[in-house]
Amino acid sequence: GYDPVDKVEIPLARSLAEKVVGLISTLYPQIMGKGITERILELEEDYGKLDPAVCLKIAEEVAKEKFCKFENQLEAIEAGVRIAFAYTTLGVVSSPIEGFTGIKIFKTKSGKEYFSPYYAGPIRSAGGTGAAFSLVIVDYLREMFGYEKYDPSPEEVKRTVIELIGYHERITNLQYFPTEEEMVFLAENIPIQVNGDPSTKVEVSNFKNLERIETNFIRGGMCLTIAEGLAQKAPKLWKRLEKWSKEMGLEHWSFMGEFIALQKKI
């Protein structure tokens, strides 16, 4: 008892499942020793290691508070996303903790609630495919809990375009810079509102003071997730989704197939 704390802060992880739970327990200590590790191993036996179904199922069960309680439903959903995201990134990068910063709930034009996940710069460490797949995880839980799809206004679509251009030209070059046509297509079709905290002191040049976008500053996490994630890794993501999107209730992601056709045409 002479040490500052009476447990070893760096636990030994014997499997990917233990790594995932250990990483996310830094935010939610209550998940340790509640059976999530064992459940991931069971799901791996059912579906195969690193299968996307393992991610989505464990996200759903954590979000439904099957293992432990959270402060509210939204925190439970965020914890589910983080655990699934940590699993896809092999529990070795900070993205599930610092790259994905949370979910806010906004209202559609008809007054129904929809999801808006927030991203920050460290999302880079997940790689493009990981970042893109995190959107699928968030959207899967949106469907599960009965929230509405995002209904972007023409101004919000234009804001996404102007912000991506601003980030690329004024902050730092994107690895993949989508054409305006690609940006518009994604902004109109993503079923959740990709969002982020302002990451620079640079304001967007147009489409400011929008009701459902909280800042006029450029949001780096949002730009990286859409451009280097969804747009750049579309073929890889669609290859995964095409196989099981129907059985997981994600058939509305078929827009990714159309997006790839558009990319090829351009």
Side-chain angles (χ1 to χ4, degrees):
Y2 287 113
D3 295 298
V5 291
D6 56 8
K7 74 176 185 19
V8 180
E9 296 102 319
I10 305 171
L12 184 67
R14 285 176 293 273
S15 66
L16 171 56
E18 283 185 20
K19 242 183 203 174
V20 165
V21 175
L23 177 69
I24 304 305
S25 70
T26 55
L27 291 180
Y28 315 104
Q30 69 267 40
I31 69 174
M32 279 305 259
K34 292 290 168 37
I36 298 175
T37 305
E38 293 74 13
R39 182 63 182 138
I40 292 174
L41 294 172
E42 276 175 27
L43 288 167
E44 283 186 337
E45 279 183 24
D46 293 345
Y47 297 102
K49 283 191 174 178
L50 295 177
D51 191 283
V54 177
C55 293
L56 300 180
K57 290 288 178 196
I58 198 67
E60 181 187 336
E61 290 179 15
V62 170
K64 287 180 174 170
E65 300 181 279
K66 286 190 177 177
F67 305 99
C68 59
K69 292 282 170 222
F70 295 91
E71 273 181 37
N72 51 49
Q73 190 189 66
L74 192 60
E75 190 185 67
I77 290 168
E78 286 174 356
V81 171
R82 288 184 204 275
I83 287 212
F85 193 13
Y87 183 80
T88 54
T89 53
L90 309 179
V92 292
V93 295
S94 66
S95 295
I97 300 171
E98 298 167 343
F100 166 76
T101 58
I103 294 172
K104 286 190 183 175
I105 289 175
F106 295 117
K107 295 261 173 79
T108 62
K109 296 178 200 98
S110 57
K112 291 178 176 167
E113 294 181 324
Y114 70 84
F115 275 7
S116 182
Y118 276 65
Y119 291 91
I123 192 66
R124 249 198 192 100
S125 66
T129 313
F133 193 69
S134 72
L135 294 173
V136 177
I137 298 166
V138 174
D139 188 51
Y140 177 73
L141 293 180
R142 176 194 68 74
E143 281 281 323
M144 275 294 134
F145 287 87
Y147 285 85
E148 201 55 42
K149 282 182 190 161
Y150 170 48
D151 56 339
S153 66
E155 289 75 25
E156 286 163 353
V157 170
K158 286 171 187 163
R159 165 65 187 262
T160 301
V161 173
I162 213 92
E163 201 160 342
L164 282 162
I165 294 169
Y167 183 84
H168 183 70
E169 290 178 355
R170 298 164 70 196
I171 313 297
T172 182
N173 278 7
L174 288 159
Q175 277 180 16
Y176 178 80
F177 183 50
T179 62
E180 197 168 320
E181 213 178 329
E182 287 170 79
M183 293 180 207
V184 168
F185 185 89
L186 287 176
E188 286 176 343
N189 284 285
I190 303 171
I192 47 184
Q193 182 186 7
V194 186
N195 219 320
D197 301 310
S199 55
T200 61
K201 287 279 195 294
V202 180
E203 283 199 350
V204 288
S205 56
N206 207 338
F207 302 103
K208 300 179 185 181
N209 306 322
L210 299 181
E211 201 183 323
R212 297 189 295 185
I213 296 173
E214 298 168 315
T215 179
N216 289 331
F217 293 110
I218 289 176
R219 301 162 291 164
M222 182 278 287
C223 295
L224 289 167
T225 305
I226 289 181
E228 293 184 6
L230 218 46
Q232 186 178 17
K233 299 295 181 181
K236 234 175 171 182
L237 183 70
W238 180 235
K239 201 176 169 185
R240 284 186 186 186
L241 277 170
E242 207 173 3
K243 289 175 191 164
W244 46 260
S245 56
K246 276 200 175 76
E247 65 190 78
M248 289 294 187
L250 294 169
E251 49 270 79
H252 53 277
W253 276 82
S254 60
F255 74 85
M256 287 306 288
E258 295 166 41
F259 176 71
I260 293 160
L262 174 73
Q263 256 185 343
K264 282 179 182 166
K265 192 184 91 182
I266 290 167

